[in-house]
Amino acid sequence: MSHNLDATHHHEETFITKYIFSQDHKMISKQFLITGMVWAVIGGILSVIFRLQLGYPDANYAWLENILGKWWVEGGHITAQAYYALVTIHGTVLVFFVLTGGLSGTFANLLIPFQIGARDMASPFMNMLSYWFFFVASIVMLASLFIQTGPFSGGWTAYPPLSALHQASPGSGVGMDYWITAMALFIVSSLLGGLNYIVTILNMRTKGLSMTRLPLPMWAILFTAILGVLSFPVLLSGCILLIFDRHFGTSFYLSDIFVAGTALPNEGGSAILFQHLFWFLGHPEVYIIILPAMGLVSEVLAVNARKPIFGYLAMVVSMFAILLLAFLVWAHHMFVTGLNPFLGSIFVLLTLLIAVPSAVKVFNWLTTIWRGSIHFTPAMLFAIGFVSLFISGGLTGIWLGNSSLDIHLHDTYFVIAHFHIVMAVSAMFGMFAGIYHWFPKMYGRYMNNTLGYIHFWVTIIGAYLIFWPMHYQGLAGMPRRYYDYSTWESFKQFADLNRFISTVAAVVFLTQLIFIFNFFYSVIFGRVLKTPNPWKANTLEWTTPIHGIHGNWPGEIPEVYRWPYDYSKGGRDYIPQTEPIGPNEIDDGH
Amino acid sequence: MTIYLIIAVVLLVFVITFQVAKASEYVSILRGEEANRKQNNKINGWLMIIFLILGLWGAYICNNLLFKKTLLAYPSASVQGDKVDEMIWITLAITGFVFIVTQILLFYFAWRYQESDKRKVFFFSHSNKLEFIWTAIPALVLTVLIVFGLKNWFYFTGEAPKDAMEVEVTGKQFGWIFRYPGVPGHFGKKYYKMIDLANNPLGLCWRDSAAIQIKDDPYAHKDVVLEQTMYLIKNKPVKLIIGSRDVLHDVGLSQFRLKMDAVPGIPTTMWLTPKYTTEEMKKITNNPDFEYEISCDQMCGNGHYSMKGIIKVLTQEEYDAWWAKQKPAYLLAFPIDTSNTKVTMIDNKQQHLFTKN
């Protein structure tokens, strides 16, 4: 239907078709964003509670018992089963529901039709389904928090046999069935979305918008969607085999197990097989999270430095290199599983290779702001923060990717520090940059700058205060996923540090509430946008009217004549993509 | 009570923050948006450089406070660990250098190139030469790290020396079981369906069973089985044969700088050479309570955090004296006449006992 829409063609829209079962990409992106924000707050609360246990294990949490109930807090103490449930659901929710669903869902839906000059997505209906599968997955995951035996508590990686045997842990009972169901629904959502993104970007670009004139967020989202479409099904198959092992007596992952006083009949399965299937998605997954953030940050950096992104082609090629390598490095999560050492060595080589395109991207970002004219909007601050975090976390990846160091540091706090900095906090920063930057496009209003500045500075300082010292805990061999360290001679020296980290974590979490407040307050009361192009940017989304209309452009879709990064060219601050190349002008695009 | 106080303080801070934010919006209207934007730009530009300086200083302070709490403050407890430490220092030198240079460039550029009326933007969209340089240099540096890393990797995962002693380590929810062969080089056979929690936690093949096609293994009668504490010899390589009885576990030996997963049904191995006895390590670390602890490093259930084992590293003489006192698990489970060391024959009474199980 979308092809014959224009401003003169008005649909009669009811509340339900406009706000709930909407097929408009702008509304769907808001739905993804707000669902993602709800999950981010829930995931954040979960982490604050388990950090309380780590930082103040002896404090009295009777007040929390009144809120959460006996399963979570008993006799004033957070229980071990609650602790493990919290870390598991925190990980699952943040990785999949916030940084995949929330980040890709929001910005792919918002930006694809806008930046490629399309009326909407190729299949608006599939797009709507994608959100509603995500929504149902969210409900199932949320419901798992309230069942009697508790949610799944075997870590977000869900390794069998722990996740396959209800005898092995209470969380591996019904809680795990909910977890798998939610994940399966989530994967369906992600596939519906991903296929739509790929098809739309490849087929529906406006006249003149060749692939090499695409803004970088588009390349990033295209590669992300390809990664997701090729790797999520593998996780789905892994999960289906897990369901078979759990309920139908198969032995895909089970062998030689004596648990809870009985020897199980299963023989010949391999627990390691699941890890291969899991990480075949699991590793690309971290790029599914970070690539969109890289795309958004590249755009924000160029716009706010008033300078072209440096090395556009190198940026695309390096993202493509990351896309390819992402499929070939999964076993670096498995160096200490007894993997064939020769195979391990291949994965070391391929893993460390990823550092090359990553380094290229960092140097290109640095060169982009070099001799620019930087406007410190909150979006720009978060983009700079992203680069800083990506450097810090990326460099420790060189440690962990080298198997002879991983054999020592694997599953310690060094890993926690590494992946939180390089893909969790930094992807969050990318998302914040995106929200601050495109908020005026979404709601026709500005967010409050001062709150944005406070949000940024507290968050980046807090993020480093939380995760920097964790490297030292890792270098002491301190294992992750421990409920209590006080009985360990080797690790108990960090009690003070854990207290410090927990306190900072609580403060950083509360600071995010400032952002949430700023967001919703500004939706209603924010300063009204007076120009359609507040950041003086070149890309097409800023040529649409301030208040989005169905079909995006009132008249014809504009034609594109140049790449999106002509900032400060020939003495002009910016030249929109819709402006033809001048008679004596050199086209700096490719 | 304190919780209410904390909530009150948090609310107060929020209210103040929002008032400040609102006030700043009014100020911006009064003073003009453009002037206000320029001032914000300046403040954030300076905060960038302050953040850089305080950040580097903070990293230094953090190191002073925490370095002595890490393993790097003491020598590694194994020969392999020395190589891990060497790798850590090489990698730290390289990544540390890159970290400092790039962070300084990032925040310096952010401060230096903030918007200014006096300066014009340098239009610079690409340079193949630069791209080549910063593709080639990281690739070369990484090659160095890969070569060092793989050399060590193949050493760690390679064959244990011929004279290495062998110990089998089995993880279970939530503890460790160690098995020493009664006859060096010959572990008795075991099968998980023979496990009997009271007498035979590893399922050693102490009898025939036609039902599960198991034959009595004479070597199994001689194996020594220990729970929670493993004994090793200083300077003697040891090969650990690692398995699990239920879910995944991981033999984490932080002082030795090594670890290996325990997987049910798929044995894994790891070898190491302890350098210091437990007593020597107490002196080195200046901690009379020091123990080599085995931590489970793979999520294994609600008791994961309590899955601790101990390694006692002894001198050869101490070890010999200790070993002389050990009795095979079979004899501890079924204390019959021990004068006959050939325990392959099981009398009728024992047979009866087994079939009852």
Side-chain angles (χ1 to χ4, degrees), chain A residues 264 376 410-411 450 487 490, chain B residues 24 41 192 259 293 297 308:
Chain A
L264 302 183
F376 289 108
H410 188 83
D411 261 343
T450 311
T487 58
S490 315
Chain B
S24 72
N41 233 15
Y192 79 106
K259 70 188 57 179
E293 289 171 322
D297 286 357
K308 187 198 290 188

Side-chain angles (χ1 to χ4, degrees), chain A residues 262-541:
Chain A
T262 12
L264 302 183
N266 314 66
E267 286 183 74
S270 163
I272 303 301
L273 171 64
F274 180 84
Q275 297 187 24
H276 282 292
L277 297 176
F278 180 87
W279 286 115
F280 192 81
L281 160 87
H283 197 80
E285 172 63 25
V286 305
Y287 297 104
I288 290 172
I289 288 172
I290 203 71
L291 282 176
M294 286 173 164
L296 301 178
V297 162
S298 302
E299 184 71 19
V300 170
L301 283 175
V303 172
N304 289 292
R306 311 311 296 165
K307 213 176 149 243
I309 190 79
F310 184 76
Y312 174 89
L313 196 62
M315 288 304 231
V316 175
V317 170
S318 60
M319 276 198 279
F320 185 68
I322 289 174
L323 164 81
L324 288 183
L325 288 170
F327 286 112
L328 302 171
V329 297
W330 78 89
H332 69 219
H333 298 270
M334 301 165 58
F335 284 142
V336 298
T337 56
L339 188 75
N340 180 321
F342 175 71
L343 202 59
S345 70
I346 302 293
F347 279 100
V348 172
L349 185 73
L350 291 165
T351 300
L352 293 196
L353 262 184
I354 285 199
V356 176
S358 305
V360 168
K361 294 193 79 70
V362 166
F363 289 124
N364 282 342
W365 285 322
L366 288 176
T367 316
T368 300
I369 64 169
W370 175 67
R371 296 184 68 181
S373 170
I374 298 171
H375 295 212
F376 289 108
T377 60
M380 183 63 171
L381 291 177
F382 276 103
I384 291 171
F386 170 93
V387 178
S388 168
L389 288 162
F390 186 72
I391 294 170
S392 306
L395 288 169
T396 48
I398 294 173
W399 295 52
L400 292 167
N402 216 336
S403 54
S404 54
L405 280 181
D406 187 68
I407 205 169
H408 172 38
L409 297 171
H410 188 83
D411 261 343
T412 65
Y413 266 69
F414 199 90
V415 178
I416 306 254
H418 160 69
F419 76 75
H420 273 93
I421 293 177
V422 78
M423 63 152 278
V425 184
S426 69
M428 249 2 227
F429 270 47
M431 194 167 168
F432 285 136
I435 294 172
Y436 281 108
H437 190 77
W438 280 282
F439 185 89
K441 188 70 256 165
M442 294 177 100
Y443 293 99
R445 290 170 186 272
Y446 291 99
M447 288 176 81
N448 183 297
N449 268 356
T450 311
L451 290 181
Y453 294 143
I454 294 171
H455 176 216
F456 169 74
W457 286 110
V458 177
T459 306
I460 190 167
I461 293 169
Y464 272 117
L465 286 179
I466 292 169
F467 295 111
W468 186 267
M470 283 189 189
H471 294 104
Y472 288 86
Q473 294 182 317
L475 288 172
M478 190 165 126
R480 61 194 284 205
R481 292 175 177 150
Y482 270 29
Y483 165 64
D484 180 22
Y485 294 88
S486 59
T487 58
W488 291 81
E489 198 55 44
S490 315
F491 316 122
K492 68 179 186 191
Q493 72 270 32
F494 290 115
D496 296 347
L497 180 60
N498 279 333
R499 236 184 330 274
F500 172 78
I501 291 175
S502 295
T503 313
V504 180
V507 172
V508 171
F509 171 72
L510 291 173
T511 309
Q512 306 316 304
L513 298 184
I514 295 180
F515 165 76
I516 301 275
F517 175 87
N518 189 3
F519 182 89
F520 287 105
Y521 182 87
S522 304
V523 168
I524 306 165
F525 302 112
R527 201 154 47 87
V528 175
L529 206 63
K530 296 202 181 71
T531 153
N533 190 0
W535 314 124
K536 301 192 174 72
N538 290 341
T539 41
L540 287 175
E541 73 268 33

Side-chain angles (χ1 to χ4, degrees), chain A residues 15-24 28 31 128 132:
Chain A
F15 179 81
I16 288 181
T17 57
K18 187 166 179 199
Y19 292 105
I20 298 175
F21 295 106
S22 171
Q23 298 188 21
D24 187 294
I28 293 173
Q31 291 174 329
M128 177 183 79
W132 285 100

